[in-house]
Amino acid sequence: MSQALRTDDMDQDLRVVGTRPVRPDGVDKVTGRAMFGADYSLPGMLVGRVLRSPHAHAIIKSIDTSKAEALPGVKAVVTRDDFQEMPSEFIPAGEMLINYRDVVRNVMAREKALYDGHAVAAVAATSVSVAKKALKLIKVDYEVLPHVIDPSEAMKPDAPVLHDHIFTDGVEPKPEKPSNVAKRVEFGMGDVEAGFASADVVVERSFKTQPVHQGYIEPHACVASVSADGQAELWCSTQGHYVVRANCARLLGMDISKIRVTASEIGGGFGGKTVVYLEPVALALSRKACHPVKMVMSREEVFRASGPTSGADIWVKMGATKDGKIVAAQTDLKYQAGAFPGSPVQPGAMCAFAPYDVENVLAVGYDVVTNRPKVAAYRAPGGPISEYAVESVVDELARKLEIDPVDFRLQNAAQQGTRAAYGPKFGPVGLVQTLEAVKNHEHYKAPLGPNQGRGVASGFWFNIGGETSVEINLSEDGTATLMSGTPDIGGSRASLAMMAAEELCIDLEKVRPLIADTSSLGYNFLTGGSRVTFSAGLATVEAAREIVKELCARAAKIWEIPEDAVEWEKGYVRPAGENAGNFEPLSVADIAKVAGKTGGPIAGYARINAQGAAPSFGTHLVDVEVDPETGRAWVTRYTVVQDAGKAIHPSYVEGQYQGGAVQGIGWAFNEEYIYDDKGCLENPGFLDYRIPVASDVPMIDTVIVEVPNPRHPYGVRGVGETPIVPPMGAIANAVSAATGIRFTELPMSPPKVLKALEEHRANGGGD
Amino acid sequence: MSKIHVTTTVNGDEVEFLCEPDETLLDVLRDELHLTGSKEGCASGDCGACSVMVNDRLVCSCLVLGAEADGAKVETIEGMADGENLHPLQKKFLEHAALQCGVCTPGFLVAAKALLEKNPDPTETEARYWLAGNLCRCTGYDKIIRAVLDTAAEMRGN
């Protein structure tokens, strides 16, 4: 069961925040009424379908669409010729960077197809069967090239080169030849050589992880409708409809304000729905066909053509003194970016050692292109990969030093004032509290059975703020409409409405939260970086406080006394000072009812660039059992402890913790992309790319630690991403404890585990 | 190829539709009958988001042809609540916060209802194996399983 641990006595008077009401969008979601991306349709709508490359790497010599265009029922065909060339420049996009030169090529292959599944052409037709026939009539002349899938292979001098214009950035002097290494990044401080020289124990290991997909259950889907005068409507499943609008306008040469994007309900994203795939294609087809066009990816297309996160080759070396102080930490990270530069190796390098207070740190990362789909953000992009390797080495150091792994982490834990290797000093953070909670948890002391082992790992994620707009309109009856512009992926309408109800002192059911379309509310950056409850929460509180200020002004006007002669208290405006008691207090509804006579509509509008996002640390505790006969390993018990800052709706915070842990179980044990020798994906479906099912996992216990973020009125950090960071390390450490073998590759699937067990037994280890 | 004329009962109402011979029941429900509560997550029977009841049997509607529904009794998520009265499972899913994005929720509810009709007192393990054909990527299943077990207890009168 869940617990909550508070570390302060702030805001004890809360009426709504911290409770567990039914979410405002809940009934629609349990009755089938909620409209997801594929649920929209329009009169006269056409079906859009994409032709995809069957080759991992090939020059596209020509594309002949004439036969497809001549097929009755085909209304439009688009290829690379329908998209303009874009300049090459990297633009920050939340936790990732984007380059429109590459975005346009990922949306529709240009000179070359760069991975199996790369879009080459698209059609819009009157029916699915006509669209499928049309795709078969498109003739593409390919010249197949050698391909490369593995990042270390791709870095070799004789590897097939994907892009002639890539000369490794961040290397002096500039390399003479193009290569697949797009970028080298480095973070560090102190002197690692001196640090290692002062260490009594040094552990050095190499690790490998495979790309894993976000695995959202809802495939990408959209409906686009462009009118003859260039006004466009787009309905789509996305984490950021303003970002979709900006990207589509850029790729199609349209004015941003001509495109209105409405975000549907979103059936999971985890970072994977922060980029565009179908949307610009659907708009281009609709513009050409002068009809609305609906496009929905199949599950196979989701796997072959939308972004997984990187697989990586990782080397970690850490040293500690015999009394348990970590004195040096170093890592080399090679992250595959997929077909275009932009893996999350930079955040991976930045957060690799973030949980620890170490003087001498060096993290070097390489962004490596390979013939795979371009990676997209996946929940704490980059963090789980580097921190998995580091947490494995931390565990091994603790074992060598014969120090309890939680005590070892406590001794070295980052806390307020610790300088992180990537630059800043931490403010108040809750890592120590999570470690202490683990140590004191009954789970940590529970006995283990045969073939079982226990593992611990900590994890860190930055969390972000960013551009946010929120509008609250007070209705004539005192109820409120709350408009935000960050798609609600896991309960944010609930948390925002709760903060608004708290501030306005009205009942939660009197607040109706909606996700506004891009033309009805100011700009919002996307739902990502665990930023929504923090950033949109800040904006909600600011907008609500503007309303409260206005309510006070209106009451003063009604009473004909100065504005500073009234006060707001628990949902009422009261006369204050020398007027105290002279008038009956007015409720929100009383003032709203007569708004028309006191100055017109009452609303609050906040447009902010949210600053002060605070990182969240977590520590996971896991027990696994390994079957010595088959090599299958599974989780028997799991406890997540994480600092939320403040849990606005604790049930949905627990949900983030539990969901992250189970995604991590999949990453650790099962999930991987499997390619054949031609570079084609062999497991593009849920049967062979097996995400955890209910019978694979136990209940996931949670402990919510609350070390408030001083930069948010209720103390909110962000909670969505950190839960995916510790699981792989914790599980690897548990498997190691159960078997006596250190596993250094993910996934720890049964054949790999069995092989290691057999070798271990042959070498006289174990039973 | 000409379309097939099908007469069937969906959520208690008799309906007729025309479908292609290769059109699935899921496509018919969504595109012909505009019942979009059943979702397509995979079209291969692996994710359970399209779960419906056909003649009192739990099926993935993506694996059933529309033509096979002729003369059958089909029940979908849209028929689960009795007007504004939610089914106990729907209520418990809300109370337990057993959904995040909500796209798998209709399939889980249909499958869980079928479980409780067959076995009113499932163990946690039985519930987990029965629902192993329904994928959820958000919740980690914890709150879903709790909601199902809690509903079962309530429906038994405990």
Side-chain angles (χ1 to χ4, degrees):
Chain A
M1 291 305 295
S2 80
Q3 311 168 25
L5 298 176
R6 282 200 67 78
T7 59
D8 75 310
D9 56 0
M10 145 184 181
D11 57 44
Q12 290 310 299
D13 261 348
L14 299 173
R15 196 175 46 87
V16 185
V17 165
T19 64
R20 298 170 184 251
V22 167
R23 59 196 281 172
D25 54 316
V27 170
D28 278 358
K29 286 184 172 164
V30 298
T31 55
R33 278 168 50 97
M35 299 279 282
F36 290 84
D39 299 340
Y40 285 78
S41 46
L42 289 173
M45 190 172 78
L46 303 172
V47 176
R49 283 281 195 279
V50 177
L51 182 69
R52 298 184 180 279
S53 168
H55 306 296
H57 194 193
I59 294 170
I60 300 173
K61 294 165 75 176
S62 66
I63 306 174
D64 180 357
T65 60
S66 55
K67 281 188 182 154
E69 282 162 4
L71 184 71
V74 172
K75 302 293 181 186
V77 181
V78 295
T79 65
R80 55 193 179 184
D81 296 337
D82 295 271
F83 295 89
Q84 304 162 32
E85 179 63 290
M86 291 282 147
S88 181
E89 52 175 330
F90 281 92
I91 299 165
E95 298 169 310
M96 307 283 277
L97 294 169
I98 63 166
N99 183 337
Y100 282 107
R101 179 208 171 272
D102 298 337
V103 174
V104 76
R105 281 169 174 74
N106 199 35
V107 162
M108 197 59 74
R110 224 164 172 85
E111 302 85 0
K112 293 202 282 188
L114 290 160
Y115 53 93
D116 165 42
H118 199 163
V120 174
V123 302
T126 49
S127 72
V128 174
S129 54
V130 174
K132 283 181 180 167
K133 269 183 217 155
L135 292 185
K136 286 187 184 152
L137 292 173
I138 297 173
K139 188 172 165 14
V140 185
D141 189 7
Y142 293 105
E143 181 187 330
V144 178
L145 300 171
H147 68 275
V148 62
I149 293 290
D150 180 82
S152 291
E153 291 295 320
M155 290 177 78
K156 288 183 177 166
D158 57 347
V161 171
L162 272 69
H163 302 280
D164 290 338
H165 70 286
I166 291 179
F167 296 79
T168 314
D169 266 356
V171 175
E172 290 297 333
K174 183 183 170 183
E176 286 172 10
K177 284 190 351 194
S179 76
N180 295 320
V181 184
K183 190 167 71 171
R184 179 187 183 278
V185 295
E186 183 178 320
F187 294 92
M189 56 187 182
D191 178 345
V192 283
E193 291 312 316
F196 284 121
S198 69
D200 298 308
V201 179
V202 173
V203 173
E204 187 180 340
R205 287 273 185 193
S206 292
F207 298 84
K208 192 171 189 72
T209 73
Q210 294 298 327
V212 291
H213 197 273
Q214 296 83 352
Y216 32 82
I217 306 301
E218 181 205 24
H220 297 264
C222 65
V223 178
S225 179
V226 185
S227 70
D229 65 351
Q231 313 256 10
E233 300 279 342
L234 181 66
W235 294 263
C236 62
S237 172
T238 175
Q239 289 176 243
H241 44 320
Y242 295 83
V243 172
V244 167
R245 181 179 65 162
N247 287 343
C248 290
R250 182 80 181 256
L251 295 181
L252 296 165
M254 296 170 75
D255 290 345
I256 287 177
S257 60
K258 289 268 168 57
I259 306 177
R260 175 164 72 160
V261 187
T262 304
S264 68
E265 294 295 338
I266 175 169
F270 312 105
K273 290 181 184 163
T274 55
V275 285
V276 291
Y277 299 106
L278 298 177
E279 296 84 355
V281 179
L283 283 166
L285 285 169
S286 177
R287 183 161 69 176
K288 219 167 176 174
C290 293
H291 279 274
V293 175
K294 180 169 177 171
M295 300 187 82
V296 182
M297 279 195 197
S298 66
R299 177 56 52 184
E300 181 181 325
E301 287 178 293
V302 171
F303 276 113
R304 284 172 70 206
S306 73
T309 191
S310 306
D313 289 340
I314 311 147
W315 170 85
V316 175
K317 181 179 177 186
M318 295 178 81
T321 58
K322 58 180 179 295
D323 55 353
K325 174 74 193 143
I326 302 174
V327 288
Q330 188 176 357
T331 185
D332 264 341
L333 306 161
K334 298 167 187 165
Y335 279 33
Q336 57 199 4
F340 299 99
S343 77
V345 71
Q346 182 153 328
M350 288 162 78
C351 64
F353 301 109
Y356 302 106
D357 183 2
V358 187
E359 260 180 53
N360 307 297
V361 179
L362 181 60
V364 175
Y366 300 92
D367 183 28
V368 186
V369 293
T370 55
N371 293 112
R372 294 170 176 260
K374 164 77 172 72
V375 300
Y378 178 20
R379 217 169 184 174
I385 299 166
S386 60
E387 294 186 64
Y388 146 70
V390 168
E391 288 301 303
S392 299
V393 170
V394 167
D395 188 70
E396 207 170 341
L397 270 179
R399 280 170 196 283
K400 285 205 166 159
L401 291 162
E402 296 179 342
I403 302 175
D404 173 272
V406 174
D407 287 334
F408 183 58
R409 286 177 173 83
L410 272 169
Q411 197 179 336
N412 293 285
Q415 41 200 306
Q416 184 164 7
T418 299
R419 180 169 295 286
Y422 66 90
K425 275 190 180 173
F426 289 123
V429 287
L431 176 58
V432 166
Q433 289 82 345
T434 67
L435 287 162
E436 282 170 349
V438 163
K439 205 175 163 186
N440 296 327
H441 200 285
E442 182 270 327
H443 179 177
Y444 199 56
K445 301 160 195 113
L448 287 165
N451 300 314
Q452 293 186 346
R454 178 165 295 150
V456 173
S458 295
F460 159 87
W461 190 246
F462 310 88
N463 299 335
I464 61 172
E467 289 174 272
T468 309
S469 306
V470 165
E471 184 173 329
I472 306 176
N473 287 294
L474 197 61
S475 311
E476 309 88 279
D477 59 357
T479 62
T481 308
L482 166 67
M483 290 202 296
S484 61
T486 33
D488 178 357
I489 205 162
S492 61
R493 269 167 295 189
S495 65
L496 299 182
M498 288 169 76
M499 285 185 262
E502 188 76 56
E503 291 289 327
L504 294 172
C505 297
I506 59 179
D507 289 342
L508 179 62
E509 53 272 27
K510 301 294 183 192
V511 181
R512 176 148 198 225
L514 300 170
I515 308 300
D517 66 65
T518 55
S519 300
S520 305
L521 182 69
Y523 183 80
N524 278 273
F525 186 59
L526 49 75
T527 294
S530 305
R531 77 179 208 92
V532 172
T533 303
F534 170 72
S535 306
L538 270 179
T540 296
V541 169
E542 190 179 313
R545 288 181 183 176
E546 196 180 313
I547 288 179
V548 168
K549 202 171 157 214
E550 186 62 22
L551 290 169
C552 290
R554 299 295 177 94
K557 203 167 181 182
I558 292 167
W559 293 327
E560 297 178 336
I561 60 176
E563 277 183 36
D564 57 3
V566 303
E567 64 183 10
W568 168 258
E569 195 194 352
K570 293 184 178 164
Y572 289 86
V573 182
R574 300 169 193 278
E578 60 185 30
N579 296 301
N582 289 349
F583 307 99
E584 280 296 306
L586 293 172
S587 70
V588 175
D590 294 334
I591 301 168
K593 194 161 63 181
V594 296
K597 295 177 192 155
T598 59
I602 299 174
Y605 184 28
R607 298 145 294 167
I608 62 170
N609 193 0
Q611 305 293 317
S616 176
F617 283 98
T619 301
H620 290 201
L621 172 59
V622 58
D623 297 349
V624 305
E625 186 166 331
V626 181
D627 179 351
E629 301 306 316
T630 64
R632 186 173 88 90
W634 64 97
V635 169
T636 57
R637 188 167 180 185
Y638 205 115
T639 303
V640 178
V641 186
Q642 189 182 317
D643 176 16
K646 172 70 188 172
I648 302 296
H649 192 310
S651 296
Y652 289 102
V653 171
E654 292 160 7
Q656 292 293 327
Y657 293 5
Q658 292 162 335
V662 170
Q663 278 188 321
I665 291 170
W667 197 334
F669 284 139
N670 285 321
E671 295 178 33
E672 62 179 315
Y673 273 43
I674 300 166
Y675 284 89
D676 67 12
D677 58 3
K678 294 190 169 65
C680 294
L681 185 60
E682 290 195 305
N683 59 335
F686 279 137
L687 186 62
D688 297 315
Y689 184 96
R690 194 172 177 287
I691 70 173
V693 302
S695 54
D696 291 336
V697 292
M699 293 296 186
I700 308 293
D701 289 351
T702 57
V703 180
I704 300 173
V705 167
E706 295 186 320
V707 178
N709 172 9
R711 303 286 299 276
H712 185 279
Y714 296 108
V716 168
R717 296 175 184 273
V719 297
E721 290 168 291
T722 301
I724 193 80
V725 181
M728 287 65 76
I731 292 167
N733 294 340
V735 172
S736 165
T739 59
I741 305 164
R742 174 60 56 182
F743 285 85
T744 56
E745 279 190 31
L746 297 182
M748 294 176 284
S749 50
K752 264 189 228 162
V753 174
L754 185 60
K755 185 162 174 270
L757 287 170
E758 283 169 348
E759 284 169 7
H760 189 60
R761 285 192 283 254
N763 294 331
D767 40 12
Chain B
M1 210 180 309
S2 61
K3 291 194 173 185
I4 299 169
H5 179 257
V6 175
T7 306
T8 184
T9 305
V10 178
N11 299 327
D13 296 327
E14 189 174 290
V15 297
E16 291 177 66
F17 56 82
L18 294 174
C19 69
E20 304 278 353
D22 63 350
E23 212 171 341
T24 66
L25 176 59
L26 176 62
D27 290 337
V28 169
L29 288 170
R30 291 179 54 82
D31 300 337
E32 307 292 331
L33 305 179
H34 307 294
L35 294 171
T36 55
S38 305
K39 307 299 179 191
E40 180 178 307
C42 67
S44 55
D46 298 314
C47 80
C50 64
S51 298
V52 300
M53 300 296 283
V54 175
N55 293 334
D56 301 316
R57 188 170 160 217
L58 177 65
V59 296
C60 288
S61 58
C62 72
L63 296 183
V64 177
L65 291 172
E68 288 181 274
D70 195 43
K73 179 179 78 171
V74 178
E75 294 163 277
T76 72
I77 185 65
E78 286 89 350
M80 196 162 173
D82 178 13
E84 63 183 21
N85 296 317
L86 298 182
H87 185 276
L89 275 165
Q90 293 172 309
K91 286 186 199 161
K92 288 292 179 194
F93 266 58
L94 293 175
E95 281 171 27
H96 282 266
L99 58 146
Q100 279 175 36
C101 80
V103 80
C104 70
T105 310
F108 266 100
L109 285 166
V110 169
K113 183 165 174 267
L115 165 66
L116 299 188
E117 279 163 7
K118 205 178 171 80
N119 178 0
D121 189 11
T123 63
E124 182 192 328
T125 301
E126 285 168 342
R128 286 186 179 278
Y129 276 89
W130 182 272
L131 295 172
N134 292 80
L135 299 180
C136 170
R137 193 59 157 174
C138 297
T139 65
Y141 303 105
D142 182 296
K143 293 184 192 300
I144 293 174
I145 299 298
R146 287 182 199 279
V148 171
L149 297 178
D150 191 19
T151 309
E154 188 186 86
M155 289 177 76
R156 291 194 309 273
N158 293 0

